[in-house]
Amino acid sequence: MKKIIIPTDFSENAYNAIAYAMQLLKDEDCTFYLLNTYTPVLYNSEYMYYTPTMSLDDIYKSNSVKGLERTKKRIKKEFKNPKHQFETLSFFSFLTGEINELVEKKNIDLVIMGTQGATGAKEVLFGTQTIHVIKKATCPVLAIPSDYEFKPLKNILLPSDFSIGFNENQLQVLRYLANLHHSTLHILHILQKNELSENQESGKHFLSKYFKSVTVDFHLKKGDDIQEVIMKFQKENPVEILSMINNKHSFFENLFFEPVVHKVGFHVNIPFLVIPSGKYSMRSIPVNIMR
């Protein structure tokens, strides 16, 4: 059984990510952990509507618990999937830290979340919370753009420089999703020279061997601007998920976590899967689906 965390701030953007998750994994036995974290401020106008006998902590806790129950009822009413189980989790805590604790404690396989909260500016794709979670997460994070409607997962895009040291466990989530949806995995390399180095050829061979159970297309494109090459490929080819491995010192780091994030953020309008560095492994995936 897969274990998925879905953070929610009770916004429609957050519910959109929930709806996406229900459809992405509709044929899988899953436990979804609906997570709401809250950090009350000392003074808040909302407090004035409650009697002084209630502490501010109690008010926020009550609102959080009620919101989670409403969300769970809405999901069950709209999707009615006996394969899906739900647990609600409410914490006075910060989202990123709580997610990483739950990943360790409950052997979480994946986090699925919206890209902006209820107060996020519509033109900014990656909200502050999402960026923090992506940067610090110890398991894969799938970020769903606001208003994105689920589409059959026919094509997954993985940009790669081929030269990083690939870890098989890192790639499990990609192989799992591709096998589950019979997707084609497009591996895109942006050529900085006229040909691949020996190290890059070795990396490409590894990927070809690892994804032998998946339909894989390799694409070699020339270009100095990595972001433009990726976005141009996405526009010219139908892609339902853009994925990247967050290895330190890779072009991913410069691409999404430097100031250029704003430039790229305006253009990425499909689900974005970020796989963390390290030796993370999806723990609950059946062997027959992984091979």
Side-chain angles (χ1 to χ4, degrees), residues 92-103:
F92 173 43
S93 181
F94 292 102
L95 180 62
T96 302
E98 202 59 54
I99 284 176
N100 286 341
E101 279 194 31
L102 289 169
V103 168

Side-chain angles (χ1 to χ4, degrees), residues 59-170:
I59 294 169
Y60 275 86
K61 181 68 175 180
S62 175
N63 289 342
S64 176
V65 170
K66 289 177 181 176
L68 287 168
E69 285 303 315
R70 284 195 302 269
T71 301
K72 184 168 71 169
K73 287 180 181 178
R74 181 179 175 184
I75 297 168
K76 289 186 173 182
K77 180 180 179 181
E78 292 182 11
F79 293 97
K80 299 182 177 69
N81 192 334
K83 290 178 175 287
H84 293 171
Q85 300 178 17
F86 300 91
E87 290 190 26
T88 58
L89 299 170
S90 171
F91 294 106
F92 173 43
S93 181
F94 292 102
L95 180 62
T96 302
E98 202 59 54
I99 284 176
N100 286 341
E101 279 194 31
L102 289 169
V103 168
E104 184 65 27
K105 187 185 302 182
K106 296 186 178 293
N107 294 327
I108 298 298
D109 296 306
L110 180 65
V111 175
I112 300 178
M113 65 187 298
T115 53
Q116 67 185 47
T119 58
K122 288 184 179 180
E123 69 272 15
V124 177
L125 181 64
F126 298 113
T128 303
Q129 286 274 46
T130 311
I131 288 292
H132 284 319
V133 171
I134 285 175
K135 288 179 72 172
K136 302 294 184 182
T138 55
C139 81
V141 178
L142 181 58
I144 313 301
S146 180
D147 299 326
Y148 183 87
E149 294 184 6
F150 179 81
K151 299 174 184 177
L153 191 55
K154 296 179 180 179
N155 297 281
I156 301 171
L157 174 60
L158 173 66
S160 173
D161 58 16
F162 290 155
S163 60
I164 62 173
F166 293 105
N167 182 308
E168 289 192 8
N169 290 336
Q170 287 180 320

Side-chain angles (χ1 to χ4, degrees), residues 116 148 192 204 214 222 253 285:
Q116 67 185 47
Y148 183 87
Q192 301 297 310
K204 181 183 176 185
V214 175
K222 286 187 177 182
E253 221 177 28
I285 298 202

